[in-house]
Amino acid sequence: MIAALALLAALQGQGRESLGVFDSWGAFRDAAPARCYAISQPPQRRGGGAFASIASWPRTGARNQLHIRLSRARDPRAKVTLSVGERRFELMAGPSDAWAPDARTDAAIVAAMRSSRSMSVESLARGGGAFVDVYALKGAATAIDAAALGCARR
């Protein structure tokens, strides 16, 4: 909860409208570009500004898109794997970010998040060494729903 409150304070300082804090997840709405999202940071926060978000973009019709900011820059040859409960998903990735390859995978990830207690993102850091970012999912479903409703009112 403390991490969510710190995240809330930082994001509101950037002109975002809070839609609520739900355990370790917050929900926000931005006017420009128009988007709504649920977001959380890993409790261990080792630096790098790691976060996980699920966003909706009303102008493009995109809903519930996953975006992960990794805690470390990854090795360009390394895969990024998201584990949610018993499910594993291979993500597309840039140097420090990862996302689902398609809308169908986004939907499967969000469904898995709704029924799981935690999720983890694994990869290899640039220069070697594995790393894992772990997220608690308590409050995630409510934050995702609040974000979806926030954009539905537009």
Side-chain angles (χ1 to χ4, degrees), residues 2-4 6-8 10 24-25 39-45 49-52 134-136:
I2 293 170
L7 183 62
L8 171 67
S24 62
W25 286 77
I39 189 168
S40 185
Q41 294 178 307
Q44 75 272 18
R45 292 193 297 171
F51 66 81
V134 179
Y135 295 85

Side-chain angles (χ1 to χ4, degrees), residues 136-148:
L137 293 177
K138 187 174 182 183
T142 306
I144 291 167
D145 291 345

Side-chain angles (χ1 to χ4, degrees), residues 11-26:
L11 289 174
Q12 282 184 315
Q14 297 174 10
R16 289 167 169 88
E17 178 186 351
S18 173
L19 301 172
V21 174
F22 311 93
D23 291 294
S24 62
W25 286 77

